[in-house]
Amino acid sequence: MNDRLENLAASLGFPRELVSGAAVLTSFGDSCLFIENHKGIIEYGREQIKLQARPCKLQIIGTNLDIAFYTAEEIKITGKVSEIRYYR
């Protein structure tokens, strides 16, 4: 992110992730994962979900995984999440 945009975000109190478009993950224990700023689903299964994020890809591993909510920018994953991996 360029310095000017970063300084503006900081002065307004915005999180850096919001301005840069990076994925923001919020976990509610191991049973619910909310992801903002994703770029799409790569793979979907009950034991693994892969998402395109920015600047990497995300791999969510667990059991009984399900997509409870999905929009172009947000996704809610439920089930037993055991691992989250970031890769290129």
Side-chain angles (χ1 to χ4, degrees):
M1 169 174 18
N2 71 38
D3 290 337
R4 216 166 126 194
L5 189 56
E6 191 171 320
N7 290 338
L8 177 62
S11 68
L12 294 173
F14 291 154
R16 180 178 180 184
E17 293 82 8
L18 181 66
V19 178
S20 71
V24 178
L25 286 71
T26 306
S27 174
F28 300 95
D30 64 354
S31 62
C32 181
L33 181 63
F34 187 74
I35 302 166
E36 300 171 81
N37 297 332
H38 74 87
K39 301 298 177 193
I41 299 170
I42 298 170
E43 185 178 321
Y44 171 59
R46 300 290 286 166
E47 296 181 352
Q48 173 178 268
I49 297 174
K50 290 184 181 180
L51 302 173
Q52 179 65 53
R54 193 165 160 203
C56 62
K57 294 178 175 124
L58 301 172
Q59 180 182 25
I60 295 90
I61 299 168
T63 55
N64 297 319
L65 298 178
D66 192 28
I67 296 175
F69 176 80
Y70 176 84
T71 69
E73 295 182 5
E74 302 171 336
I75 189 168
K76 178 181 176 184
I77 297 172
T78 58
K80 177 110 171 131
V81 177
S82 59
E83 193 173 342
I84 301 169
R85 294 181 185 172
Y86 301 84
Y87 64 98
R88 298 242 178 245

